[in-house]
Amino acid sequence: MKTKKEYQTYCLDLDGTVYRGTEAVEEAAGFVQRLLQKGIEPFFVTNNASMTQQQLKDKMAGFGITAKKERIMSSAIAAAKYIKRWYPGRTVYMIGSDGLDQALRQEGVERVQEKADIVLMGIDRNITYDKLATACLEIRNGAVFLSTNQDLAFPSEKGFLPGNGAFTTLVSSSADVDPVYIGKPEIHMLEAIQHEYGFEKSQMVMIGDNYDTDIQAGIHFGIDTIHVNTGVSRMETVLEKKQVPSFVIENLGFWEV
Amino acid sequence: MKTKKEYQTYCLDLDGTVYRGTEAVEEAAGFVQRLLQKGIEPFFVTNNASMTQQQLKDKMAGFGITAKKERIMSSAIAAAKYIKRWYPGRTVYMIGSDGLDQALRQEGVERVQEKADIVLMGIDRNITYDKLATACLEIRNGAVFLSTNQDLAFPSEKGFLPGNGAFTTLVSSSADVDPVYIGKPEIHMLEAIQHEYGFEKSQMVMIGDNYDTDIQAGIHFGIDTIHVNTGVSRMETVLEKKQVPSFVIENLGFWEV
């Protein structure tokens, strides 16, 4: 395990790190405050594709955290940027919610209802058979298959509900094509941040509670990682992994900036 | 390969064997006619769970085939019988269409919207997020997970549309529980016929076009099988399999009764 070090670019996961569902993670606001006092504007990196940057900013504000909209990298934003960068001018058939809809508008990506170059899936609580059927048909007709994230389930007050990864699995199994996932543990969100701002990887760190998404994304991208024990993965379990994070802390209060 | 023989119980697949979508398979009507003339009332064994026995009977009538309603074994009928036999008195949360709805009524199975003992999935063109979420929650709370069939896709005039197997995969991946499938290649439909009528396996034969479902079901159940070259699996491919069918014929016109 390395010793503590200073970074220029802090990438913070949201759920489990900054908040837990509708509750704040107590130590997060102070941590962000300390970063801002040092002149460091952090990035917020979330697999959430249903909320817009504004909605996420407002949610954090409710927990006393000041976030700049353009520093919020959701899997929806990253997907739209990915399409603009790698498939410029191509049309998209989208399944998703406000967050994905607005991200595509923001990047000027054209949406179509048929003959799409790309099928892009994000969570959609108003999903229908026809939407899923269209996705399958378009992919079978050769459309590129992208999905915001592979989360199979997410917690709610009722229990674990099916996530976008489960719906993506439906389309993938039926159309017999594997998707490209944008969200963590894939590196696309971190890569988008680095690409846009020209950061050095050695100056970047990914902080999160989930070993399988947050920490894996950081490790795959080749940057330092900090695991916080405030969410999904327990510290003991994380320490038993073959590839441990650069740092393991109880919560963000333990990190001196 | 065995030589031709006489059977008492003919189990015929429907789509690809008796009809292809909205068209008749020409030789099927004559074949059924010859069976009836010999006093043999065939069974029709289909993974289709959306249509009722009456709807399937009417469809076959349109192709000149006389079928007795009670000899039509759909995966919906088989699922309802399976529940009645193995889980008597238990409640069911159902996702499905007319065929499954009526099958459960016919067997007197009680349906509930929550706290179900069993979750039963069949194709539902009016699927919603809430239905799928309820299925996941009930299964996570311990409900037995049954599904009519594992067909990932089915042909339509538009192309291949997602089948019940794909929706079942969604729930299975999200709730992290494997379902029990009722339809072919599982043996439950053939087993239900044998159980109800007390047939000898040596007197039964399964006839179908699809090696992976029809023929596999027959092989697993331990009865003779006849592959017809009028649907999904090509004869050449079938003959290369490790376990070949008992007989391989071009179409039902080639089988003397």
Side-chain angles (χ1 to χ4, degrees):
Chain A
M1 199 132 310
K2 293 188 191 175
T3 53
K4 193 163 290 191
K5 64 179 261 196
E6 288 191 1
Y7 300 96
Q8 281 168 10
T9 310
Y10 285 81
C11 300
L12 278 113
D13 169 55
L14 289 182
D15 209 351
T17 302
V18 162
Y19 53 72
R20 257 189 309 267
T22 54
E23 287 173 19
V25 170
E26 218 179 310
E27 301 81 6
F31 174 73
V32 171
Q33 197 54 42
R34 294 199 298 283
L35 285 180
L36 294 175
Q37 278 162 1
K38 278 236 170 177
I40 297 169
E41 192 77 58
F43 289 85
F44 299 94
V45 179
T46 175
N47 274 1
N48 186 315
S50 64
M51 292 167 80
T52 65
Q53 284 172 314
Q54 184 64 48
Q55 287 167 338
L56 289 163
K57 177 186 157 88
D58 292 347
K59 180 165 185 175
M60 281 192 271
F63 302 136
I65 293 165
T66 314
K68 277 210 176 136
K69 235 167 70 173
E70 63 273 21
R71 295 249 159 170
I72 298 172
M73 178 62 76
S74 70
S75 63
I77 297 290
K81 285 181 187 289
Y82 183 91
I83 290 167
K84 193 180 178 185
R85 182 169 164 204
W86 300 109
Y87 299 99
R90 299 306 177 90
T91 59
V92 170
Y93 177 74
M94 180 200 98
I95 292 179
S97 318
D98 285 357
L100 200 51
D101 177 64
Q102 198 174 100
L104 290 178
R105 285 176 204 276
Q106 224 160 279
E107 299 296 328
V109 175
E110 189 192 347
R111 284 174 56 185
V112 292
Q113 291 306 307
E114 54 175 10
K115 293 185 183 150
D117 299 315
I118 298 163
V119 167
L120 171 60
M121 285 187 75
I123 190 77
D124 176 2
R125 301 290 280 261
N126 298 311
I127 194 70
T128 63
Y129 186 86
D130 283 348
K131 290 182 190 179
L132 293 163
T134 301
C136 290
L137 291 168
E138 295 290 324
I139 292 164
R140 283 180 182 268
N141 284 334
V144 169
F145 186 14
L146 304 180
S147 178
T148 57
N149 65 83
Q150 54 193 291
D151 303 9
L152 294 170
F154 61 89
S156 78
E157 62 286 359
K158 286 184 180 175
F160 281 91
L161 301 181
N164 180 58
F167 287 87
T168 304
T169 298
L170 183 167
V171 171
S172 172
S173 70
S174 185
D176 202 15
V177 172
D178 289 329
V180 169
Y181 286 108
I182 300 296
K184 301 168 283 184
E186 303 302 325
I187 64 167
H188 302 296
M189 293 199 284
L190 296 172
E191 210 281 331
I193 291 171
Q194 191 213 15
H195 175 75
E196 197 163 328
Y197 293 84
F199 295 131
E200 294 286 329
K201 283 191 185 183
S202 61
Q203 289 304 314
M204 294 176 73
V205 65
M206 176 70 215
I207 308 179
D209 66 295
N210 189 325
Y211 181 84
D212 297 323
T213 55
D214 304 321
I215 304 304
Q216 282 293 314
I219 290 171
H220 292 158
F221 189 54
I223 62 175
D224 278 3
T225 53
I226 304 174
H227 178 261
V228 286
N229 199 23
T230 51
V232 169
S233 312
R234 307 315 310 156
M235 189 189 268
E236 312 84 77
T237 320
V238 168
L239 288 171
E240 283 166 6
K241 300 283 182 184
K242 209 168 166 187
Q243 286 189 290
V244 293
S246 316
F247 302 95
V248 172
I249 57 177
E250 196 56 48
N251 61 56
L252 289 172
F254 286 80
W255 190 266
E256 287 171 38
V257 180
Chain B
M1 200 132 311
K2 295 187 189 175
T3 52
K4 192 162 288 193
K5 64 180 260 195
E6 287 191 1
Y7 300 96
Q8 281 168 10
T9 309
Y10 285 80
C11 299
L12 279 111
D13 168 56
L14 289 182
D15 208 351
T17 303
V18 162
Y19 52 72
R20 257 189 309 265
T22 55
E23 287 173 18
V25 169
E26 218 179 311
E27 300 81 5
F31 174 74
V32 171
Q33 198 52 42
R34 294 199 299 281
L35 285 178
L36 294 175
Q37 278 163 2
K38 277 236 172 177
I40 298 169
E41 193 77 57
F43 289 85
F44 300 94
V45 178
T46 176
N47 274 1
N48 186 317
S50 63
M51 293 168 79
T52 64
Q53 284 172 315
Q54 184 65 48
Q55 287 167 339
L56 289 164
K57 177 185 157 91
D58 292 347
K59 179 165 185 175
M60 281 193 273
F63 302 136
I65 293 165
T66 314
K68 276 208 174 142
K69 233 166 70 172
E70 64 273 19
R71 296 249 159 172
I72 298 172
M73 178 62 75
S74 69
S75 62
I77 297 290
K81 286 181 187 289
Y82 183 92
I83 290 168
K84 192 179 180 185
R85 181 169 165 205
W86 299 109
Y87 299 99
R90 300 304 178 92
T91 59
V92 170
Y93 177 74
M94 179 200 99
I95 292 178
S97 318
D98 285 358
L100 199 52
D101 177 65
Q102 199 175 99
L104 290 178
R105 285 176 203 277
Q106 223 161 278
E107 299 296 327
V109 175
E110 188 192 347
R111 283 173 57 185
V112 292
Q113 291 305 307
E114 53 175 9
K115 293 182 183 156
D117 299 314
I118 297 163
V119 166
L120 171 60
M121 284 187 76
I123 190 78
D124 177 0
R125 301 289 280 260
N126 298 312
I127 193 70
T128 63
Y129 186 87
D130 283 349
K131 290 183 189 178
L132 294 163
T134 301
C136 290
L137 291 168
E138 295 290 324
I139 291 165
R140 282 179 181 270
N141 283 334
V144 169
F145 186 14
L146 305 180
S147 178
T148 56
N149 65 82
Q150 54 194 290
D151 303 9
L152 294 170
F154 61 88
S156 79
E157 62 287 358
K158 285 185 181 176
F160 281 92
L161 300 181
N164 180 57
F167 287 87
T168 304
T169 298
L170 183 166
V171 172
S172 171
S173 70
S174 185
D176 202 17
V177 172
D178 289 331
V180 169
Y181 286 108
I182 300 295
K184 300 169 282 184
E186 303 302 324
I187 64 169
H188 304 296
M189 294 200 283
L190 296 171
E191 210 281 331
I193 291 170
Q194 191 213 16
H195 175 75
E196 196 162 328
Y197 293 84
F199 295 132
E200 294 287 328
K201 283 192 184 182
S202 61
Q203 289 303 313
M204 294 175 75
V205 64
M206 175 71 215
I207 308 178
D209 66 297
N210 189 325
Y211 181 84
D212 297 322
T213 55
D214 304 320
I215 303 303
Q216 282 293 315
I219 290 171
H220 292 156
F221 190 54
I223 63 175
D224 279 1
T225 53
I226 304 174
H227 178 260
V228 287
N229 199 22
T230 50
V232 168
S233 312
R234 305 317 310 157
M235 188 189 270
E236 311 85 76
T237 320
V238 168
L239 288 170
E240 282 166 6
K241 299 282 182 187
K242 209 167 164 187
Q243 285 188 291
V244 293
S246 317
F247 302 94
V248 172
I249 58 178
E250 196 56 47
N251 60 57
L252 288 171
F254 285 80
W255 190 267
E256 286 172 38
V257 179

